[in-house]
Amino acid sequence: MRAPRLIEASLACYPAWWRDVYGEEIRRITQDLAADGRSEIRLAGDLLRGALTTRMRGTAMPRRPELWATRTRVSVAVATLPWLVVVPFVLAAMTGQSLRTISAATLADPTTRISTYAYEVMQLALLVSFCAMAAGWGALAGGVRRARRPRRRHLVLLSYVPLVSFLAVLGLFIARVTQLPNEFTSHGGPLIPLDGNPAAAHALLIALWLVLVTGVLASVWSLALVTKHAEMPMLYVRSGKRMATFTALSLALMAVSAVVGAVAAAYHGHPIPSMDNFLYTGKYIGGRYPVELPGWWLAAVPLNAAAVVSLAGWRVARRAWVTTVTLTGPA
Amino acid sequence: MGNRLGRTQDPTLMVLTSLTGGPKHGYALIQDIDDMTGITLGPGTLYGVLARLEEEGLIEALPAEDRRRPYRITAHGAAVLRERLEVTAKVARIGLRRLGAFT
């Protein structure tokens, strides 16, 4: 007999091996409890919490090597995929700034220095994690090509979705840069571009963001499928575990930096300069891109959520890896 | 106050104690623990505990009857429970004595 839909949805959150052992009992017990007048929502909530705990701890998981290898791969995906999801927010926060003049008093304020350091740490961590993700993707693609799975070709094609998305975004970015004005004139008023095509640059910016968001979603979906189903050699799983370490720590660092920057900006009460820039208007003039307060929070909130998920995935991946190696021998 | 203390109770101890009264399936365990302590365990919490106790060899599952699988405590489980209850009883005795002096 099928349990109500909410209970079934909560049960679906448990791992398959767990449902095989306890699924029928749980369905029966929830029917009995519902007949006693227990709220279905509360029962489903308790099952959801139980499912999360079971997935985190792997309690009573059969000691079968293939199950533990899958657990390691899925945990690596949980540790790394939040990075992909959060990148558009970070890029929006870091690039959505306007050039403006900053007063000397603002520059002298200690919070300016704090937020500048926070911004630079964020940039560095983003770069490190990007390199880790690129290296990890290379290892994943190699692992999928050597996987034992019968539908290997299908998975190999899916593993290339992030690369295709990245190249599309890069292409649009370069196309936009070629359309951006480089020279301006100013007769005491606003800057007037002398070259480039601002309208085309704007259209390309919209296209870039559309492709970025679509590419991120498609990459998360394809990588989640590939990591779960491709039974790749252990050597490649170990690379994935290392990548998970880099990604989780970088995300945590970025999350802390974003909060520090946001608090500094809130304390200061007005935008804080974080990036020097120079524009050419017949002669070089100095300018600064201040990161507005909403920009900091736009990065801080998703980054913290992503860091929590990523660190949890990393923790599970480390433990699952130890058990996998115990069961299968060293990679 | 009762609910707040209920959250700090160890469901492992409750399940093991309930099983000392004889083998029980999940629903009977929830009812018995409710009668004993006034705390209602949810199915997710209960089966998390049952899975862990079974993995540690403290309880074992018996053949299922009508999609209900009874569980019974093992000898090892009984020994572990006895040890834990003795510590708990000692803490309770000392606590109550000191509370008497306090009031």
Side-chain angles (χ1 to χ4, degrees):
Chain A
M1 191 186 288
R2 304 284 289 178
R5 196 172 292 174
L6 208 53
I7 302 286
E8 264 321 307
S10 307
L11 271 174
C13 296
Y14 278 94
W17 58 265
W18 196 95
R19 288 198 304 271
D20 290 344
V21 180
Y22 299 106
E24 273 309 299
E25 276 180 78
I26 288 275
R27 284 193 184 93
R28 177 65 203 252
I29 202 174
T30 48
Q31 282 164 12
D32 291 340
L33 291 170
D36 284 352
R38 300 272 170 82
S39 151
E40 192 192 317
I41 293 173
R42 290 188 74 168
L43 290 174
D46 187 68
L47 284 174
L48 265 182
R49 199 174 55 179
L52 186 65
T53 312
T54 305
R55 284 195 178 274
M56 285 289 292
R57 294 184 183 161
T59 310
M61 189 166 161
R63 292 178 73 81
R64 296 210 306 267
E66 71 279 7
L67 272 184
W68 282 90
T70 304
R71 180 172 166 79
T72 311
R73 292 198 309 271
V74 170
S75 316
V76 166
V78 170
T80 51
L81 294 184
W83 183 89
L84 272 176
V85 176
V86 92
V87 154
F89 292 99
V90 178
L91 290 179
M94 288 176 121
T95 57
Q97 307 146 15
S98 54
L99 193 72
R100 64 173 69 181
T101 311
I102 300 293
S103 71
T106 304
L107 286 171
D109 196 289
T111 52
T112 301
R113 202 167 28 206
I114 292 170
S115 70
T116 304
Y117 288 148
Y119 189 85
E120 281 165 4
V121 168
M122 245 167 78
Q123 277 183 315
L124 186 68
L126 184 66
L127 185 68
V128 168
S129 53
F130 176 79
C131 294
M133 287 295 281
W137 175 82
L140 176 76
V144 173
R145 281 197 297 273
R146 288 160 187 80
R148 295 191 301 269
R149 184 92 180 162
R151 289 165 66 196
R152 206 181 66 175
R153 194 170 167 199
H154 171 71
L155 292 174
V156 170
L157 284 176
L158 274 179
S159 72
Y160 279 90
V161 170
L163 181 67
V164 172
S165 307
F166 174 73
L167 291 177
V169 169
L170 188 66
L172 283 167
F173 177 78
I174 292 169
R176 179 173 180 261
V177 167
T178 61
Q179 298 301 319
L180 280 175
N182 290 309
E183 292 191 24
F184 298 85
T185 184
S186 159
H187 303 289
L191 296 174
I192 299 160
L194 294 174
D195 60 352
N197 186 343
H202 186 68
L204 283 166
L205 181 67
I206 293 170
L208 191 148
W209 276 103
L210 282 175
V211 171
L212 179 67
V213 173
T214 316
V216 162
L217 294 176
S219 301
V220 168
W221 171 74
S222 62
L223 288 180
L225 272 181
V226 167
T227 342
K228 185 173 180 189
H229 295 296
E231 292 169 14
M232 58 190 86
M234 293 302 289
L235 196 66
Y236 295 93
V237 181
R238 187 174 64 185
S239 299
K241 188 186 66 93
R242 285 178 184 158
M243 186 187 69
T245 307
F246 272 108
T247 312
L249 295 181
S250 303
L251 272 174
L253 192 60
M254 286 160 76
V256 171
S257 308
V259 169
V260 167
V263 170
Y267 182 77
H268 201 284
H270 57 74
I272 294 178
S274 288
M275 189 158 63
D276 290 320
N277 189 62
F278 296 93
L279 286 178
Y280 188 65
T281 57
K283 58 174 185 173
Y284 281 101
I285 57 164
R288 278 175 180 273
Y289 282 114
V291 178
E292 311 286 348
L293 184 58
W296 282 110
W297 289 117
L298 179 67
V301 173
L303 267 173
N304 277 274
V308 168
V309 175
S310 181
L311 287 169
W314 174 49
R315 183 169 171 266
V316 175
R318 280 172 58 213
R319 291 183 175 187
W321 170 255
V322 171
T323 311
T324 310
V325 169
T326 310
L327 294 173
T328 60
Chain B
M1 176 64 106
N3 279 341
R4 274 168 56 197
L5 282 176
R7 284 174 195 278
T8 65
Q9 293 291 318
D10 180 5
T12 308
L13 205 61
M14 293 185 219
V15 169
L16 285 175
T17 305
S18 176
L19 288 178
T20 52
K24 290 182 187 68
H25 53 71
Y27 181 69
L29 271 168
I30 290 177
Q31 300 286 60
D32 190 44
I33 290 167
D34 198 354
D35 291 344
M36 266 196 314
T37 63
I39 295 165
T40 310
L41 294 182
T45 310
L46 176 69
Y47 276 86
V49 173
L50 287 176
R52 186 160 48 79
L53 292 176
E54 204 179 352
E55 187 183 34
E56 290 169 5
L58 302 182
I59 63 169
E60 61 190 0
L62 299 172
E65 305 157 353
D66 187 24
R67 296 195 299 148
R68 287 169 156 171
R69 206 157 40 142
Y71 295 86
R72 78 170 163 215
I73 192 165
T74 61
H76 176 48
V80 169
L81 177 64
R82 180 179 297 279
E83 194 180 319
R84 287 190 62 176
L85 286 178
E86 280 170 1
V87 172
T88 309
K90 189 178 170 187
V91 171
R93 272 199 307 276
I94 294 170
L96 286 169
R97 194 171 62 231
R98 287 182 184 174
L99 268 177
F102 183 74
T103 52

